[in-house]
Amino acid sequence: MPKKILVVDDEKPISDIIKFNLTKEGFDVETAYDGEEAVEKVEEYNPDLMILDLMLPKKDGLEVAREVRQTHDMPIIMVTAKGSEIDKVLGLEMGADDYVTKPFSNRELVARVKANLRSRDIVKKAVEVNQQKEKEQESNDIQIGNLLIKPDAYLVEKNGEKIELTHREFQLLYYMAQHMDQVMTREHLLQTVWGYDYFGDVRTVDVTVHRLREKIEDNPVRPKILVTRRGVGYFVKQQTEE
């Protein structure tokens, strides 16, 4: 069954071009032209991925992303015509997994769509494998200080309370927790967690790490779990300091 993509852009010619190129790649594509229609289409169509323009009538892309994230965890690629750093950061903070800036090439957009879907499938497969293993052996939960990662349930708890993480935040934390104390460069994380070989901005990694720290650290300014190795990258510590 083909993956379902929802394209949300109020400029119909752009939507048509994106739909044409994605359909040509074998995807099932639906379109929406304003923010309210986008939220409705998400509920009706239940897409595997959404391409979401930032500037929309009725509800802007940030509001759409915020609402959708309350009930859905599919990857969201935010599209902005402004190209400013603040728009990219806001999009990621509202729950987007990735972004592209207009004008973009069709090749780049298709590559990002495939990378986000591939990354999501890898995590789903890992969860399925872990669930199977759980039937055969003890739990695959990962404990880091007061943080408990439950890959089988696809959730994270802090002091016994569930933490709401986006799809990408969970992927990043789980991957790094599986490689405890191993320093990862931004480029390596972009390639392995986001699935990019050629496209992508390492700033995406920094913003996601920042948001993740806000949720899992007692003091995000002085992190004890997700730590920076200056000049190299990030790593998850095996033991946290008291």
Side-chain angles (χ1 to χ4, degrees):
M1 182 178 295
K3 296 288 188 181
K4 297 189 293 184
I5 312 295
L6 177 61
V7 178
V8 186
D9 197 308
D10 62 326
E11 297 182 61
K12 192 173 186 301
I14 293 178
S15 292
D16 289 344
I17 291 172
I18 294 174
K19 180 175 182 177
F20 173 79
N21 283 282
L22 290 173
T23 301
K24 194 167 61 173
E25 293 289 331
F27 295 108
D28 181 353
V29 185
E30 286 283 335
T31 55
Y33 303 106
D34 63 61
E36 290 183 358
E37 185 184 10
V39 174
E40 293 173 1
K41 279 283 182 74
V42 166
E43 297 303 323
E44 297 170 3
Y45 184 54
N46 192 25
D48 296 295
L49 180 143
M50 177 163 60
I51 299 172
L52 178 64
D53 191 36
L54 178 64
M55 305 299 291
L56 294 170
K58 298 187 180 179
K59 289 182 181 179
D60 65 24
L62 296 178
E63 180 60 29
V64 172
R66 186 186 298 113
E67 287 190 29
V68 167
R69 272 290 171 255
Q70 294 176 10
T71 53
H72 295 77
D73 67 348
M74 77 284 193
I76 298 175
I77 300 178
M78 188 75 76
V79 179
T80 172
K82 297 181 179 179
S84 69
E85 187 72 11
I86 188 65
D87 290 318
K88 298 172 184 177
V89 172
L90 280 174
L92 293 169
E93 288 184 344
M94 289 302 103
D97 298 277
D98 195 8
Y99 60 83
V100 291
T101 303
K102 293 180 180 178
F104 51 81
S105 70
N106 290 318
R107 177 171 172 262
E108 176 185 3
L109 183 60
V110 170
R112 286 176 180 259
V113 167
K114 289 181 177 178
N116 276 276
L117 288 172
R118 182 168 60 246
S119 180
R120 179 182 174 84
D121 286 344
I122 288 172
V123 170
K124 279 189 172 181
K125 182 64 177 177
V127 170
E128 289 172 3
V129 169
N130 284 334
Q131 288 174 339
Q132 181 60 35
K133 286 182 177 178
E134 189 179 35
K135 296 176 182 178
E136 304 169 358
Q137 58 189 39
E138 58 187 43
S139 172
N140 293 292
D141 295 355
I142 301 175
Q143 185 81 48
I144 314 169
N146 62 356
L147 203 68
L148 180 63
I149 303 172
K150 296 184 172 182
D152 301 334
Y154 205 82
L155 64 82
V156 177
E157 294 179 353
K158 179 179 178 182
N159 295 321
E161 297 292 327
K162 180 181 176 182
I163 301 176
E164 294 295 336
L165 298 184
T166 66
H167 171 72
R168 189 68 71 205
E169 290 164 354
F170 178 86
Q171 282 183 302
L172 180 62
L173 179 61
Y174 181 42
Y175 176 76
M176 297 190 72
Q178 289 178 298
H179 301 81
M180 206 86 69
D181 291 328
Q182 181 178 335
V183 180
M184 310 278 185
T185 66
R186 292 167 175 82
E187 292 78 9
H188 173 78
L189 291 170
L190 202 59
Q191 183 175 7
T192 54
V193 178
W194 276 259
Y196 298 155
D197 293 325
Y198 303 105
F199 301 110
D201 183 348
V202 293
R203 175 64 175 157
T204 304
V205 179
D206 295 332
V207 172
T208 305
V209 167
H210 173 76
R211 280 184 51 77
L212 191 51
R213 283 173 171 166
E214 292 287 339
K215 297 177 180 181
I216 68 173
E217 299 283 358
D218 291 332
N219 182 359
V221 178
R222 302 187 65 180
K224 296 182 178 181
I225 297 173
L226 183 47
V227 183
T228 301
R229 177 63 57 84
R230 191 173 299 278
V232 183
Y234 303 104
F235 67 99
V236 166
K237 292 187 68 173
Q238 180 84 38
Q239 299 290 331
T240 60
E241 299 174 3
E242 296 297 331

